[in-house]
Amino acid sequence: MITAQAHPAQPRWQQLWREAVRDPRELLRLLGLPALAASLSDAAAAQFPLRVPHGFVARMRRGDPHDPLLRQVLPVVDEERIVPGFSLDAVGDAAARGAAGVLHKYAGRALLIATGSCAINCRYCFRRHFPYAEETAAAGRWTEALGWLRGHPGAEEAILSGGDPLSLATPKLAEFTDVLAGIEHVHTLRIHTRLPVVLPERVDAELLAWVRSLRQRVVVVIHANHANEFDGSVDAALHALRVAGVTLLNQSVLLRGVNDEADALVELSRRMFAAGVLPYYLHQLDRVAGAAHFAVDDARARELAAALRERLPGYLVPRLVREVAGEPSKTPL
Ligand SMILES: *Cc1c(COP(=O)(O)O)cnc(C)c1O
Ligand code: SF4
């Protein structure tokens, strides 16, 4: 009789993550869009592979070649275009390195590149070029990053970013916060993550117990770009985080063909508010090589921001910003 499993039981979210769709043609088949295969780029897929959890695929509209969720993940020939101004280090990360995995650009907060991995691969992501192998904070058992935080009393907020920090297993996150708890001056822990949206199963009992155990105030910034990214499973995950005491904010990227219409942005703000999330930033795209076809020009971006101010209560209007290398904060447009 076989009593032991071949693999120790893994959290369900890790299983779902492993089962993510990785073949662009398989994705098009699932969506009933075989004709779109002509727009695929094998070179782009080789450089930064497709990866998308089935639960996120289920929120795409079948048969719609312009689906805003599909557009964010499908590797297409447009990415092969070389466009001046779209570079490998778009936001000056190489110059802001404080310690292994620590980026210190702004007063009072330090950003930790917790991990290079993520549950999904968005085509506009700066991650497609960043040298993560040497640069993640978790890889060195967090030691350097924690040492840096301890030595900088002005760092009141530790920001876990990535990649997606919630793609780390919960015990790995706890290794960090167990030591962080002893660094008195860090009173806020912020987590930038797209996982509650793209793989809401990540918000499981183990994660919620970890959140409740934290000494710091906890802010989770989800990265949703379109109202269609929300469904009942996302609402449930966000509700559970709120009940655990988390402040929920959203940061979006302004993306051509995804959310560059006032209606789409209005609907996004309303939908996130229904899920208990307030808008934070609407980012102009980081100018990374391969993402130029997502760019929206500044005049159009300002026009959209003005439309949002007219149509929404102030608390549902995100701040339109861009990241400019060397500036002391994100720069309002
Ligand atoms: C964007 C960013 C932050 C966070 O900035 P906020 O304006 O506080 O959201 C912090 N550190 C780095 C390095 C960043 O790029
Ligand atoms: S979720 Fe964020 S970090 Fe992950 S691929 Fe998308 S943009 Fe990049």
Side-chain angles (χ1 to χ4, degrees):
M1 190 175 75
I2 297 169
T3 49
Q5 289 180 313
H7 300 285
Q10 274 195 321
R12 183 171 132 75
W13 70 268
Q14 286 183 344
Q15 215 170 314
L16 293 168
W17 184 16
R18 267 201 317 279
E19 290 165 7
V21 181
R22 287 149 197 273
D23 175 357
R25 285 169 184 84
E26 162 77 359
L27 177 59
L28 294 181
R29 194 185 59 72
L30 289 169
L31 294 170
L33 289 167
L36 220 54
S39 71
L40 291 175
S41 163
D42 291 330
Q47 196 234 347
F48 192 53
L50 174 108
R51 180 203 275 265
V52 50
H54 280 279
F56 195 74
V57 175
R59 287 169 246 160
M60 296 176 183
R61 289 184 296 242
R62 275 185 63 87
D64 180 358
H66 305 295
D67 181 83
L69 279 55
L70 174 63
R71 183 164 163 85
Q72 292 179 64
V73 299
L74 196 67
V76 293
V77 286
D78 283 341
E79 296 175 38
E80 295 174 21
R81 263 174 42 230
I82 293 170
V83 180
F86 284 75
S87 70
L88 301 185
D89 179 19
V91 289
D93 279 345
R97 184 181 180 280
V102 178
L103 293 178
H104 182 228
K105 293 184 185 172
Y106 307 145
R109 47 232 199 271
L111 187 146
L112 276 58
I113 310 244
T115 171
S117 59
C118 195
I120 190 166
N121 283 341
C122 309
R123 307 315 300 172
Y124 48 85
C125 184
F126 64 94
R127 222 161 51 86
R128 52 193 296 164
H129 306 298
F130 201 79
Y132 278 103
E134 322 90 75
E135 285 295 347
T136 70
R141 305 197 62 82
W142 304 103
T143 315
E144 266 206 58
L146 286 159
W148 190 94
L149 287 167
R150 197 176 284 112
H152 288 77
E156 299 182 337
E157 178 175 19
I159 304 175
L160 292 179
S161 182
D164 198 310
L166 293 190
S167 67
L168 294 171
T170 306
K172 190 79 190 169
L173 296 168
E175 274 175 29
F176 172 68
T177 50
D178 285 352
V179 181
L180 190 70
I183 305 177
E184 292 289 326
H185 60 263
V186 178
H187 57 60
T188 302
L189 178 67
R190 190 200 310 183
I191 303 171
H192 276 259
T193 175
R194 195 153 154 71
L195 272 174
V197 172
V198 300
L199 189 62
E201 295 81 359
R202 175 65 186 98
V203 184
D204 59 7
E206 189 186 27
L207 185 82
L208 292 165
W210 171 70
V211 167
R212 283 192 300 266
S213 78
L214 298 173
R215 184 185 63 77
Q216 297 84 8
R217 301 191 272 266
V218 182
V219 180
V220 169
V221 184
I222 63 166
H223 288 215
N225 297 316
H226 195 279
N228 291 3
E229 293 173 26
F230 293 80
D231 70 358
S233 66
V234 175
D235 289 342
L238 295 170
H239 179 73
L241 286 169
R242 272 205 306 153
V243 169
V246 172
T247 298
L248 292 173
L249 301 172
N250 181 62
Q251 166 171 320
S252 311
V253 183
L254 186 56
L255 297 166
R256 190 156 94 213
V258 174
N259 59 12
D260 62 335
E261 296 290 341
D263 285 348
L265 292 170
V266 165
E267 205 191 333
L268 171 62
S269 271
R270 289 193 176 133
R271 186 61 184 85
M272 76 174 81
F273 184 53
V277 182
L278 288 174
Y280 182 39
Y281 284 138
L282 175 61
H283 264 267
Q284 267 294 38
L285 187 73
D286 292 334
R287 302 176 89 77
V288 294
H293 58 293
F294 285 114
V296 176
D297 66 49
D298 284 357
R300 173 71 180 148
R302 289 194 188 93
E303 200 177 286
L304 289 166
L308 294 188
R309 284 192 299 273
E310 275 174 31
R311 292 175 57 182
L312 289 167
Y315 59 86
L316 290 187
V317 179
R319 276 155 269 184
L320 177 65
V321 294
R322 86 149 29 91
E323 183 159 350
V324 179
E327 289 295 312
S329 70
K330 307 290 187 240
T331 307
L333 256 80

